[in-house]
Amino acid sequence: MNLEPLLVSLRLALCVSAILLAGGLPLAYWLAFSNWRGKFLLEAVIALPLVLPPTVLGFYVLVAMGPRGPLGKLWQSFFGHGLAFTFEGLVLASVLYSLPFAVQPLITSFESVDRKLLDASAMLGAGRWRTFWRVILPLSIPGVVTALVLSFAHTMGEFGVVLMVGGNLAGVTRTVSIAIYDNVQSLDYAGANRMALVLLAISFSVLSIVYAVNRRVGRQLGRGFWTSWAPR
């Protein structure tokens, strides 16, 4: 089996998961605790990839990355080459496509934190930043793990968006899903089956990790959070 598409998919999934975690934490925190009445509009924009066909999102991202698009022009001015049909463009498109899979679990976890704990933290003199790191984030570990794993698994299985934005360049943008499609097109069902089984095993493994970690962390947090945290 050709492992090159698998390595491209793993590299892509790791990059996307890291970016979504770094950007998703502050975004989810703001959406969970902001009192702005119009935030439902931003929530709707974030959730669009859940209902949009991948080809629609891929088309508009491709146009934006093109030589006449705003992202394409900006990238060209900084790096001297286009953004479409590159690994970097694939990362950007995948971040947009997997955004709700990272942000929504984080919002749910943040909103489920008992507000009495936040009030107690404020009364003990902790600011918002310290309350987030010492109270909200530790209590939201299951949501953080879910966001990471879902982002990773969803990126590993992408097809429509990556094909439109990245094309099918060996070693650069050819992912596992595209390689499976190529094998089927060439009637190489044995090769397609081998790659599909690998992708199935990876997806099952990461989802098993989510359920196992969430159950274990949930039990540990339930036995006593305040015994391990005390404002100084």
Side-chain angles (χ1 to χ4, degrees):
M1 185 179 67
N2 183 12
L3 295 179
E4 192 175 63
L6 178 61
L7 296 178
V8 172
S9 291
L10 288 173
R11 181 186 172 201
L12 176 64
L14 289 172
C15 291
V16 170
S17 300
I19 293 173
L20 285 176
L21 180 63
L25 283 174
L27 179 58
Y29 176 83
W30 183 83
L31 289 172
F33 297 103
S34 173
N35 294 322
W36 181 46
R37 294 183 178 179
K39 69 178 181 179
F40 68 92
L41 296 174
L42 180 57
E43 291 175 328
V45 171
I46 293 173
L48 268 179
L50 295 175
V51 296
L52 272 181
T55 50
V56 174
L57 179 63
F59 169 73
Y60 285 113
V61 173
L62 181 61
V63 170
M65 291 182 181
R68 297 183 181 180
L71 293 178
K73 289 181 179 179
L74 184 63
W75 190 269
Q76 180 75 32
S77 64
F78 277 100
F79 299 100
H81 61 84
L83 184 57
F85 306 110
T86 64
F87 182 79
E88 292 80 6
L90 204 59
V91 170
L92 178 57
S94 298
V95 166
L96 295 176
Y97 189 47
S98 297
L99 184 61
F101 292 89
V103 174
Q104 291 187 350
L106 292 173
I107 293 176
T108 302
S109 294
F110 293 165
E111 289 179 340
S112 65
V113 174
D114 191 346
R115 296 302 176 103
K116 294 180 181 179
L117 298 178
L118 306 184
D119 295 338
S121 177
M123 291 179 62
L124 291 171
R128 290 186 177 181
W129 181 254
R130 190 170 187 180
T131 298
F132 174 77
W133 286 106
R134 301 297 298 273
V135 180
I136 298 174
L137 191 58
L139 290 173
S140 303
I141 291 298
V144 173
V145 174
T146 301
L148 270 174
V149 175
L150 287 182
S151 301
F152 182 89
H154 187 252
T155 304
M156 285 289 296
E158 288 178 2
F159 176 73
V161 170
V162 298
L163 183 61
M164 292 198 68
V165 175
N168 191 0
L169 304 178
V172 181
T173 62
R174 181 183 294 168
T175 60
V176 172
S177 57
I178 295 177
I180 293 173
Y181 177 78
D182 287 343
N183 287 338
V184 173
Q185 288 292 98
S186 61
L187 301 181
D188 182 11
Y189 295 113
N193 180 56
R194 286 191 294 269
M195 288 194 175
L197 285 176
V198 170
L199 195 56
L200 177 62
I202 292 175
S203 300
F204 178 78
S205 299
V206 295
L207 288 177
S208 298
I209 291 172
V210 168
Y211 287 110
V213 170
N214 283 355
R215 179 169 297 181
R216 182 171 182 178
V217 172
R219 287 199 300 264
Q220 290 176 347
L221 292 176
R223 282 198 294 263
F225 171 73
W226 287 100
T227 59
S228 61
W229 182 87
R232 298 175 182 176

